Amino acid sequence: MKVFFSIIVAAGLGYFLGSINFSIIVVRMMTGRDIRDMGSKNAGLTNTLRCAGKPSALLTLIGDLLKGVVAVFLARGFCHLLHAGMLPGNDTHYIGYIAGLFAIIGHVFPIYYGFKGGKGVLVGAASFLAVDYKVFLALLAIFVVILAISKYVSLASIISTAYCPLATLLMSWIVDGYSFGRSCLYMLLSLPMAAMVIFMHRSNIQRLIDGNENKFTFNTIDIGRE
């Protein structure tokens, strides 16, 4: 019962915190416009940088990272207080994946903004920073390498996200020394998070296939669509 209650609370915390879209808030404060009516119409970091400039993008980056981290830490703290660990030692690691998944869902389908949000890359990254920083660093390295080679933000996001479940399994099993069964559990919990982010990039995948996806440069006029 405690585990079930912790999962419900983690899902609620993740969703309602994830629904706070800092791209929409910051751009509206800075320009008086709705980012969802600008550029690619996506309420995410890349579109914010391209359409509203670096100060707005920086504030969006900080806000969207923080909400993922806060969601995971609050959920784990609550789960720990209830002694609702599913595994020996009152392990609350699992609850971070639940909070992270629902933070992504909240970002993509925010209740405060008519269920029209961003694509969840930043929130997903922030969630993994809080859940397992080693997985986050591994995925960040993959992202940087793919971006440097291809110059496509979307491609780097998709490929690094696709590696997320495998990185979770290997880090838990080989680096952290957890049992293979527990590591598989963490991998399975990370799968919906990765799937959600990749699904939200389906339009980018089509543009990559068609050859008309914009490449990344440090010039905000020519930066890949998020």
Side-chain angles (χ1 to χ4, degrees):
M1 189 65 182
K2 289 181 179 180
V3 170
F4 177 75
F5 187 52
S6 294
I7 290 173
I8 295 299
V9 171
L13 280 170
Y15 179 75
F16 288 109
L17 284 172
S19 289
I20 304 172
N21 191 300
F22 285 91
S23 175
I24 296 174
I25 294 171
V26 169
V27 173
R28 187 167 289 164
M29 290 176 58
M30 300 283 276
T31 70
R33 300 180 60 189
D34 190 334
I35 188 63
R36 294 168 296 179
D37 296 327
M38 303 164 68
S40 66
K41 304 187 187 306
N42 179 59
L45 179 64
T46 304
N47 196 38
T48 300
L49 176 59
R50 182 174 63 248
C51 298
K54 294 176 182 177
S56 295
L58 178 60
L59 292 173
T60 297
L61 173 66
I62 294 171
D64 281 349
L65 285 175
L66 279 176
K67 70 183 183 183
V69 171
V70 170
V72 171
F73 276 117
L74 285 179
R76 290 191 67 174
F78 182 81
C79 186
H80 183 75
L81 285 174
L82 283 185
H83 297 283
M86 287 199 307
L87 300 166
N90 192 31
D91 179 23
T92 61
H93 193 68
Y94 76 95
I95 209 69
Y97 294 100
I98 305 298
L101 171 61
F102 278 88
I104 294 173
I105 294 173
H107 183 80
V108 173
F109 304 111
I111 192 172
Y112 313 125
Y113 306 104
F115 303 100
K116 184 181 179 184
K119 296 187 177 179
V121 175
L122 271 181
V123 183
S127 298
F128 268 97
L129 177 60
V131 171
D132 190 334
Y133 74 92
K134 296 181 293 299
V135 173
F136 169 82
L137 291 176
L139 298 181
L140 178 62
I142 294 171
F143 176 90
V144 170
V145 170
I146 299 301
L147 179 60
I149 294 172
S150 70
K151 301 297 190 295
Y152 289 116
V153 173
S154 57
L155 183 63
S157 299
I158 293 164
I159 291 178
S160 59
T161 301
Y163 272 99
C164 173
L166 178 61
T168 299
L169 172 65
L170 295 178
M171 287 295 179
S172 298
W173 183 30
I174 297 175
V175 178
D176 294 333
Y178 290 131
S179 68
F180 182 71
R182 183 183 296 199
S183 300
C184 285
L185 171 63
Y186 295 154
M187 179 189 69
L188 291 174
L189 288 171
S190 73
L191 275 172
M193 300 172 68
M196 173 67 72
V197 173
I198 293 173
F199 175 76
M200 292 307 299
H201 279 81
R202 60 195 183 280
S203 60
N204 299 87
I205 293 172
Q206 188 59 55
R207 286 195 295 268
L208 286 165
I209 293 172
D210 295 340
N212 56 17
E213 177 76 315
N214 290 336
K215 290 189 175 183
F216 172 87
T217 72
F218 287 101
N219 184 334
T220 59
I221 295 175
D222 182 28
I223 189 166
R225 298 170 187 157
E226 183 179 344

